[in-house]
Amino acid sequence: MIQSTLFDSERMRLPDALELTAVSLRAYGEKYDHWVIAFSGGKDSSALVTAVVFLILTLRIKAPKSLTVLYADTRMELPPLHATAMALLAELRLRGVHTQIVLPEMDKRFMVYLLGRGVPPPSNTFRWCTGQIKITPMMAAIEDLRQKHGQKFLVLTGVRIGESAARDARIAVSCGKNNSECGQGWFQEAKSDAVADTLAPLLHWRLCHVWDWLTRLVPDELDHGFPTALIAKVYGQDEDLETHARTGCVGCNLASRDLALEAIIKREEWKYLHPLTELRPLYAALKLPSNRLRKDGTESRKDGSLVANPCRMGPLTFEARLWGLNRVLDIQARAGVDLINAEEEARIRDLIAAETWPQGWDGTEPLASVPFDNVNADGSIQPVMRELLTT
Ligand code: SF4
């Protein structure tokens, strides 16, 4: 329960927050002919896209010459959020808004990169995913629009300051902490070139504004009519629970727990997604030495010196990739979702058949589970205690 304070009456209410959004769009937005909204399907960007379209359609702000909603489909979204995003996009199109779904390149998609190219699951020390499945595709789409429009345009993002300056610093760099979204802050930083300028018109919205807006707990004249209530449900807001979800990949290997998935499968309507909880254990299994190659201790830099970790572990073996592919296909069949579609499966099998290795590896490296004498960066050798390994 939140205790009232003397200052509650001074807090900004949702209608005022929406008006301030309109003011910022009038002040900055009208300088640009073309606007683009980077939409991820998460709560903040859903609030953003619906608020902006609502303000335009109710003539509270002037419409730009064009408005494009770019949806970054990572192929790994939490299924109910992805479904809601699709419904929202359909409704936007009905209201005359141009929408575009942005996908990562086939070979850069999460499952294709993992199981086809054999790059091990991302981790906090090897985070290959955010850039290639979220940021790069969105940046490429924005560059394309720049070419098409022939002028710099405005990108609107759902970044919010919220109530805590300390939290904001974390939002800028974090991966899905504090209700932010993986890649959100990075994307903001990545657009500092001349392709587009960025505006975050919900910067001042508090979390309660976002929920009230999405659940349409608003005066009639502010009811946007978009199908956003399900988003709040996915986040647990309809039961007045503490927000448990964040938008990110289902089974994200960088989070300590997949709280969003754990929460939604407790609900009757999403119980069928339970097999998706097997993804994180699957990633853990793929990272085992028995499923990977390692360098043999001779890897060196251009100047001839040894690299920092001459015996580092690397890619997945073909057997591990095929095993992983079959496990994911089984999981998705039981969960009734689409993690790997037919095209992606064919590409994964092609890459394996072509004996594809990630850059810097050629498959001649030893299996990481075979005992070896560890080579340190200074060239010193730490003999393996074979007798311990055999006991
Ligand atoms: S949510 Fe996790 S798996 Fe997805 S891009 Fe971010 S860090 Fe990677």
Side-chain angles (χ1 to χ4, degrees):
M1 198 169 89
I2 298 170
Q3 193 167 358
S4 301
T5 74
L6 282 174
F7 306 104
D8 280 359
S9 60
E10 292 177 23
R11 289 192 155 198
M12 189 184 285
R13 296 174 316 119
L14 176 56
D16 305 323
L18 187 67
E19 179 52 28
L20 200 52
T21 296
V23 169
S24 90
L25 286 166
R26 277 183 221 119
Y28 299 103
E30 290 184 8
K31 296 179 186 153
Y32 299 83
D33 289 340
H34 307 283
W35 297 358
V36 171
I37 297 182
F39 172 57
S40 68
K43 67 183 192 318
D44 293 334
S45 74
S46 298
L48 170 73
V49 75
T50 49
V52 171
V53 173
F54 173 80
L55 289 170
I56 291 173
L57 294 181
T58 54
L59 307 179
R60 286 168 163 88
I61 59 172
K62 196 173 148 204
K65 282 188 183 160
S66 80
L67 171 64
T68 306
V69 175
L70 293 176
Y71 173 59
D73 182 0
T74 65
R75 302 278 299 115
M76 297 298 295
E77 297 298 333
L78 203 60
L81 278 183
H82 180 68
T84 312
M86 290 296 143
L88 192 48
L89 289 175
E91 183 65 29
L92 286 165
R93 286 191 290 273
L94 282 178
R95 299 191 196 191
V97 178
H98 178 65
T99 67
Q100 185 181 329
I101 295 176
V102 178
L103 283 159
E105 274 174 46
M106 173 60 76
D107 283 9
K108 297 286 173 71
R109 293 186 194 173
F110 188 94
M111 288 296 178
V112 178
Y113 203 64
L114 175 77
L115 300 171
R117 188 153 293 271
V119 177
S123 64
N124 284 304
T125 53
F126 184 36
R127 178 175 168 167
W128 50 259
C129 43
T130 311
Q132 76 183 51
I133 69 175
K134 293 192 170 186
I135 297 170
T136 305
M138 189 61 98
M139 291 304 295
I142 287 174
E143 298 263 357
D144 285 351
L145 285 173
R146 172 74 174 84
Q147 297 289 329
K148 182 177 149 195
H149 294 317
Q151 58 181 274
K152 190 154 82 164
F153 53 84
L154 186 64
V155 174
L156 305 176
T157 75
V159 173
R160 291 183 305 113
I161 285 182
E163 293 175 289
S164 155
R167 191 183 75 177
D168 301 340
R170 293 198 297 270
I171 283 177
V173 296
S174 69
C175 170
K177 286 182 182 163
N178 303 294
N179 303 318
S180 74
E181 172 190 334
C182 166
Q184 182 182 48
W186 289 28
F187 180 63
Q188 182 83 348
E189 290 174 357
K191 291 192 305 326
S192 57
D193 54 25
V195 173
D197 288 332
T198 304
L199 181 68
L202 304 195
L203 200 68
H204 54 286
W205 283 38
R206 297 202 316 269
L207 191 57
C208 58
H209 297 149
V210 173
W211 295 130
D212 286 353
W213 181 256
L214 293 177
T215 53
R216 293 158 63 187
L217 274 174
V218 288
D220 285 350
E221 68 273 17
L222 296 185
D223 185 1
H224 51 76
F226 282 103
T228 48
L230 195 66
I231 299 169
K233 191 170 187 181
V234 174
Y235 282 79
Q237 286 303 299
D238 62 327
E239 292 186 349
D240 207 17
L241 303 172
E242 189 185 343
T243 303
H244 56 64
R246 64 182 181 83
T247 47
C249 302
V250 64
C252 170
N253 203 41
L254 280 80
S256 52
R257 283 170 62 187
D258 192 344
L259 292 174
L261 181 61
E262 286 175 27
I264 66 167
I265 58 175
K266 287 187 187 139
R267 291 173 175 253
E268 201 52 44
E269 67 264 52
W270 291 316
K271 265 193 178 142
Y272 67 94
L273 294 173
H274 197 279
L276 295 176
T277 59
E278 296 167 35
L279 284 173
R280 282 163 55 87
L282 168 63
Y283 299 148
L286 286 173
K287 292 194 84 158
L288 293 173
S290 54
N291 286 323
R292 299 170 64 184
L293 304 185
R294 69 163 177 81
K295 290 290 184 182
D296 64 4
T298 59
E299 191 182 17
S300 57
R301 301 189 183 92
K302 276 186 187 152
D303 66 4
S305 63
L306 283 175
V307 296
N309 184 1
C311 293
R312 69 190 167 100
M313 279 207 286
L316 308 178
T317 63
F318 297 129
E319 295 74 22
R321 296 184 219 178
L322 285 168
W323 174 78
L325 174 61
N326 288 333
R327 290 281 298 118
V328 177
L329 292 176
D330 175 55
I331 289 169
Q332 75 173 16
R334 285 183 286 120
V337 297
D338 165 34
L339 294 168
I340 298 177
N341 62 29
E343 201 187 352
E344 289 158 352
E345 181 184 345
R347 184 61 187 153
I348 290 169
R349 293 192 189 282
D350 282 352
L351 286 165
I352 294 174
E355 303 194 347
T356 311
W357 294 98
Q359 202 177 3
W361 299 80
D362 60 16
T364 59
E365 299 84 356
L367 192 65
S369 56
V370 174
F372 61 100
D373 294 333
N374 191 49
V375 180
N376 298 312
D378 63 3
S380 61
I381 293 176
Q382 192 178 338
V384 69
M385 287 186 276
R386 290 170 210 283
E387 59 280 9
L388 279 184
L389 287 167
T390 53
T391 54

